[in-house]
Amino acid sequence: KILLRYSFDFCKDDNERRPSENLGQVLFGERIETSPYKFSFKKDEKCKKLCTKTYVKDKTEDKNMLDFLKRGMQLNYQHHWIVDNMPVTWCYDVEDSQKYCNPGFPIGCLVTTEGRAKDACVINSEFNKKNTFYIFNHVDIKLTYHNGEGEGWRGARLVAATLEPKSINNADADKPTCEGPPMEVPGEFSSDVKITYTYSVSFEENNNIKWASRWDYILVSMPHTNIQWFSIMNSLVIVLFLSGMVAMIMLRTLHKDIARYNQVDQEDAQEESGWKQVHGDVFRPPRKGMLLSVFLGQGTQIFIMTFITLFLACLGFLSPANRGALMTCSVVLWVLLGTPAGYVSARLYKTFGGEKWKTNVLLTALLCPGIVFADFFLMNLILWVEGSSAAIPFGTLVAILALWFGISVPLTFIGAYFGFKRPAIEQPVRTNQIPRQIPEQSFFTKPVPGIVMGGILPFGCIFIQLFFILNSIWSHQMYYMFGFLFLVFIILLITCSEATILLCYFHLCAEDYHWWWRSFLTSGFTAVYLFVYAVHYFFSKLQIVGAASTILYFGYTSIMVLIFFLFTGTIGFFACFWFVNKIYSVVKVD
């Protein structure tokens, strides 16, 4: 949802300050501002008034403001508050007597014209008037602290911050009592509306909660750990099945093939069919080798970046408490990993017999990052036009360009220099001058069916995890299960490799030696399934309205899909490259 700063007519802080945000927060659109809710430590407040907002029915400006407020309630917009870097959570009971702590709370809710209570309106039976909005204009804030006096240190530390939102229509706006019927905002603006905002604060000592584990009550309440284990077991079954298949091919079929090929005389071998027959063509350079080498260079860069980021996240360096740390870490790593991208791209391009090395280096440094930046820039333009607070300032865009051209591009050039200096990768068999004719292929060994099938198994391993990742991006839920994610990352790596090797073997047995691009696209096709899933998620889970928000969703999704395509494609290619080199190096060829 596009968050429009100051479009909602709430109470403002008189002397507003904005803390400086890091790169990750700016890119994710997180903007922190001071609030008018003021309190002092251990000083309880009871029904303190903030301000009163009056909407006169004859004033167009007031009507627009109230309509915007109603629209926010209809779309279930949420307040996100922070105290001492802790999210202020709204904890309530869900089924099975479990407690769920939401790191935000709605600005209000709606009872439809049919009398159906939507979203948070189900919590109170008094919210029952048809075609009426109920605004949460009062909050009871409870701050829990850990006292250090009994443990040899002075002072206290905040260990939990919870609140309960309430809707109260105070009879006297000047001397609110915080008691009375709910604050109704009628669907039809027929009379003046007066909303008084109030709050209460209470402090509670709890020495059982340590400061280091103060996030636990939020994270424990997040359901889904059981689903996670189910998803891991499901993925492991796929991996075991694939590993069994690959092991069977490696040990039985290949072993027999190699023994047979190496025993039989060459005259008899002419009658043979199978992968040995294409030994003179299997290392024939692919068409569009330049593009493939560029994709693989970029994919290597993304692969190493993902691995290091997830590893650091597993060690706890990138926890939700460090806001924006995950994104900052990813961007910085990506910038610093230009050298392996340039090296891999240059080395493979040289192996393919390419000579336009300048074009290769420039494309490696600029093609995929350029597409991502252009997409990102367009999304930002839409945010600027819409007047959104999530729009990235011009200075940050310049800083990103400086990182890209000042650090990443030169590092890519250095990598490419070393890549071109090294000799081309030596192939185990010679390539014939005349290409061999490829026999008629069955439906399953044709390129497209093989590529489409190749992406199904890797996607099957990740789709449950993908649901939680999309929730954390679009539905403001915390993502903290990096241990699970790292496991899934390893499983995805194995599945992509094994699925590609299997299909590559079947194609070579059918005497089709065009494996370079196919190995990249087979596992890369997982990204297409990711896109299909993102479309399904958009229509089934999100309540996004308006062209701008829809374009933003699909714009950011396409960046994710491109990165994932390069990442999975690279894994598949190198697995297949290793496999093909291995099997042809043990066959005797005259």
Side-chain angles (χ1 to χ4, degrees), residues 264-419:
V264 178
D265 295 327
Q266 277 311 102
E267 288 82 43
D268 302 345
Q270 296 303 319
E271 318 295 310
E272 290 284 347
S273 66
W275 54 266
K276 189 191 175 184
Q277 296 307 301
V278 293
H279 69 80
D281 297 275
V282 75
F283 290 107
R284 190 175 298 287
R287 284 185 290 241
K288 305 231 176 348
M290 167 82 84
L291 190 61
L292 181 60
S293 62
V294 167
F295 279 174
L296 289 164
Q298 286 291 330
T300 308
Q301 189 174 7
I302 292 163
F303 174 78
I304 302 171
M305 174 197 86
T306 311
F307 180 79
I308 298 174
T309 305
L310 283 179
F311 185 70
L312 290 174
C314 278
L315 296 177
F317 290 117
L318 310 175
S319 75
N322 304 340
R323 291 169 199 287
L326 191 75
M327 192 69 173
T328 309
C329 176
S330 302
V331 172
V332 169
L333 279 172
W334 182 85
V335 165
L336 296 176
L337 287 166
T339 309
Y343 179 82
V344 169
S345 177
R347 191 94 194 271
L348 284 168
Y349 184 60
K350 192 172 183 180
T351 304
F352 297 155
E355 289 168 359
K356 297 179 184 165
W357 64 272
K358 287 176 189 164
T359 316
N360 173 265
V361 184
L362 284 169
L363 282 176
T364 307
L366 305 177
L367 178 67
C368 298
I371 295 169
V372 171
F373 185 80
D375 186 328
F376 195 71
F377 185 71
L378 279 173
M379 297 304 106
N380 209 43
L381 272 182
I382 294 169
L383 288 170
W384 270 336
V385 170
E386 292 283 326
S388 165
S389 65
I392 289 161
F394 184 71
T396 307
L397 282 177
V398 172
I400 292 170
L401 283 171
L403 284 173
W404 179 17
F405 286 103
I407 301 173
S408 183
V409 173
L411 286 174
T412 310
F413 273 78
I414 292 167
Y417 170 77
F418 287 111

Side-chain angles (χ1 to χ4, degrees), residues 401-474:
L401 283 171
L403 284 173
W404 179 17
F405 286 103
I407 301 173
S408 183
V409 173
L411 286 174
T412 310
F413 273 78
I414 292 167
Y417 170 77
F418 287 111
F420 280 116
K421 288 274 280 190
R422 294 290 303 275
I425 300 165
E426 209 171 304
Q427 319 292 13
V429 285
R430 274 203 320 273
T431 302
N432 295 341
Q433 286 184 330
I434 300 163
R436 177 190 173 90
Q437 194 173 356
I438 296 170
E440 185 67 33
Q441 298 292 309
S442 70
F443 174 76
F444 289 107
T445 53
K446 283 187 175 145
V448 175
I451 288 168
V452 171
M453 284 189 301
I456 293 173
L457 288 171
F459 179 73
C461 293
I462 62 158
F463 83 97
I464 293 180
Q465 206 66 31
L466 191 62
F467 172 74
F468 296 120
I469 292 170
L470 289 176
N471 265 357
S472 76
I473 297 172
W474 300 109

